[in-house]
Amino acid sequence: MKEINLASVIATKRKERGVTQDQLAAFIGVSKASVSKWETGQSYPDITFLPPLAAYFTISIDELMGYSPQLEQSAINELYIQLAEDFARLPFTKVIANCATIIKKYYSCFPLLLYIAKLYTNHFMLAESLQQQEALLHETVALCERIQKESGDVRLNREAVLYQAICCLALKNPQEVLDLLGDRPKRILAEGILVSQAYQSMGAVDKAKETLQAELYQYVMASFQILLNILQQNMDTFGKAEEAYVRAADFARIFNMKHLNPNNVILLDALGAQMYCANHITEKALALLDEFVDTCVGDFFPFALQGDSFFDLVDPFLHDFEASTPRSEKVIKESMLHDILMNPAFDALHDHREYQRLVQKMQKFLRKA
């Protein structure tokens, strides 16, 4: 991140123009000693001198101070990844305090604020108390509302609405979710198709193909998530739940989901195992847990969304999501063991030798990590 660096900027710009400290001092109306102190950082110019200094060097006051309220996307991605790692290795309150400092410094960098909202949404559960969790969720809602009111960016606004809805759901405010998103699904309008057709009309055939693949890729991921939710919502009706599971498994096979997004596959394995365990079909439950563990300890890490032989043009699209891993690798691994494999839904399997073997296998994997 760029820090205020007035001293070096004045010195550099003065030398670039080929003027002496005496000449700059005469123009501004101060002593040579004052200019010397500015350039060595011993003191700062009076605020009234900033406009004439900026005008003298033909730069903005922000440039004069070596400060930018905005960050490039690459810098935002790097910062996101670093903060996600900090949540895994540093005290929660320390990371939140760091985030608060960053927010104040870049309060008008709306893409960064959206990434902070993503971080908070994915890490609020690490707070020690329910009160702290709720406070962070409310802060995230406030960030999302600011983005919507001030950014003027349609894409950012749309994402901010979604993260605000997620927070409202976590805060047990379902009516606010409906107020934000509407009370029924909107008609699907695949914007990527229109963008692809526009590129096609311009003769940019490769760009048209790339756009269409990226659109389909997103719909594949979204459709799979919907199937997982249908499975989860129908756990009390075995026939419906198993049908959802079978369709999701077929979907995963057809679209090579284990390669594209192995996280989706382990979620399906875990939900399928819960379904079969709840219906006392132990053999199938253990078989799915075995697949779950094999995927976790196999090629899951380092986790990254990726294409395949069919989605062979999505790399530029995925590159924009360099920071897409919502939590650090350490936090994800611990969640695999405690939140999924050792879920109370599998209490009936605790005394089963195969289940114990799988838990030990995961624990061994975590110790090596």
Side-chain angles (χ1 to χ4, degrees):
M1 294 180 289
K2 295 181 179 179
E3 303 293 343
I4 295 176
N5 199 5
L6 185 59
S8 65
V9 172
I10 292 176
T12 300
K13 291 296 181 182
R14 178 182 63 76
K15 292 172 184 177
E16 285 178 357
R17 288 182 65 94
V19 298
T20 65
Q21 289 182 340
D22 277 321
Q23 290 172 312
L24 178 58
F27 178 83
I28 300 298
V30 297
S31 67
K32 176 185 175 183
S34 293
V35 173
S36 177
K37 289 181 179 179
W38 295 346
E39 292 187 356
T40 57
Q42 296 178 59
S43 66
Y44 291 107
D46 186 273
I47 191 171
T48 59
F49 292 143
L50 297 181
L53 276 168
Y56 186 77
F57 295 128
T58 320
I59 58 177
S60 68
I61 292 178
D62 277 349
E63 289 176 291
L64 175 67
M65 299 177 70
Y67 169 74
S68 172
Q70 302 296 322
L71 286 175
E72 296 293 334
Q73 187 60 49
S74 58
I76 293 174
N77 289 347
E78 291 175 6
L79 185 57
Y80 180 95
I81 293 171
Q82 181 59 57
L83 290 171
E85 292 176 350
D86 288 346
F87 272 113
R89 63 185 183 86
L90 298 177
F92 181 81
T93 53
K94 184 175 182 178
V95 184
I96 292 299
N98 187 22
C99 288
T101 300
I102 293 169
I103 290 170
K104 286 182 180 179
K105 182 172 183 179
Y106 293 103
Y107 199 48
S108 64
C109 183
F110 298 109
L112 174 63
L113 296 187
L114 181 64
Y115 270 61
I116 295 292
K118 292 180 182 181
L119 275 170
Y120 284 179
T121 303
N122 286 297
H123 293 88
F124 76 90
M125 67 290 296
L126 299 179
E128 293 183 0
S129 68
L130 181 61
Q131 185 178 9
Q132 289 177 318
Q133 293 179 12
E134 291 179 348
L136 193 58
L137 287 169
H138 283 297
E139 185 177 343
T140 308
V141 168
L143 283 176
C144 291
E145 289 176 341
R146 172 170 168 75
I147 293 167
Q148 294 165 56
K149 291 177 182 177
E150 305 291 343
S151 76
D153 186 311
V154 174
R155 182 187 61 81
L156 288 179
N157 292 351
R158 191 160 50 225
E159 288 195 57
V161 167
L162 290 175
Y163 279 98
Q164 183 177 344
I166 292 171
C167 291
C168 289
L169 203 57
L171 287 166
K172 296 180 173 56
N173 295 326
Q175 185 57 53
E176 292 187 30
V177 176
L178 297 180
D179 292 341
L180 286 165
L181 302 180
D183 58 0
R184 63 184 63 190
K186 296 179 177 64
R187 181 180 176 184
I188 293 177
L189 176 61
E191 297 176 0
I193 295 177
L194 298 178
V195 175
S196 177
Q197 290 174 346
Y199 278 127
Q200 186 84 26
S201 297
M202 295 167 62
V205 178
D206 289 343
K207 192 66 177 175
K209 292 179 179 178
E210 175 190 313
T211 302
L212 211 52
Q213 279 199 22
E215 183 79 355
L216 177 60
Y217 190 97
Q218 293 179 84
Y219 272 95
V220 166
M221 295 302 164
S223 297
F224 194 82
Q225 286 295 322
I226 292 171
L227 281 168
L228 292 180
N229 276 273
I230 291 174
L231 168 57
Q232 192 167 28
Q233 288 178 350
N234 287 278
M235 284 291 187
D236 57 344
T237 309
F238 177 67
K240 189 73 171 182
E242 187 175 41
E243 183 178 355
Y245 168 77
V246 170
R247 293 191 182 210
D250 287 342
F251 193 95
R253 175 183 53 80
I254 292 169
F255 281 100
N256 194 19
M257 191 64 69
K258 192 168 186 177
H259 179 81
L260 299 180
N261 187 347
N263 187 61
N264 278 345
V265 175
I266 65 170
L267 290 176
L268 177 61
D269 288 339
L271 285 173
Q274 286 183 34
M275 174 190 68
Y276 285 120
C277 185
N279 288 277
H280 311 294
I281 308 175
T282 304
E283 185 176 343
K284 285 189 175 182
L286 288 170
L288 287 176
L289 288 178
D290 188 38
E291 290 182 19
F292 168 85
V293 172
D294 279 348
T295 302
C296 292
V297 306
D299 298 325
F300 190 96
F301 295 103
F303 175 78
L305 295 174
Q306 54 191 330
D308 60 7
S309 59
F310 179 77
F311 290 105
D312 58 346
L313 300 175
V314 297
D315 283 349
F317 164 74
L318 295 178
H319 181 71
D320 293 337
F321 293 87
E322 289 178 87
S324 60
T325 302
R327 292 177 288 178
S328 74
E329 186 172 306
K330 178 183 177 183
V331 173
I332 294 173
K333 287 177 178 177
E334 291 176 350
S335 176
M336 286 173 168
L337 175 63
H338 299 290
D339 298 342
I340 300 180
L341 187 58
M342 299 183 72
N343 189 301
F346 301 125
D347 283 351
L349 302 178
H350 280 191
D351 294 331
H352 200 288
R353 183 177 300 176
E354 176 63 10
Y355 175 80
Q356 294 172 356
R357 181 188 70 82
L358 294 173
V359 171
Q360 290 171 3
K361 186 175 181 179
M362 274 295 295
Q363 290 173 333
K364 183 179 180 181
F365 170 66
L366 291 177
R367 285 196 294 269
K368 289 182 178 179

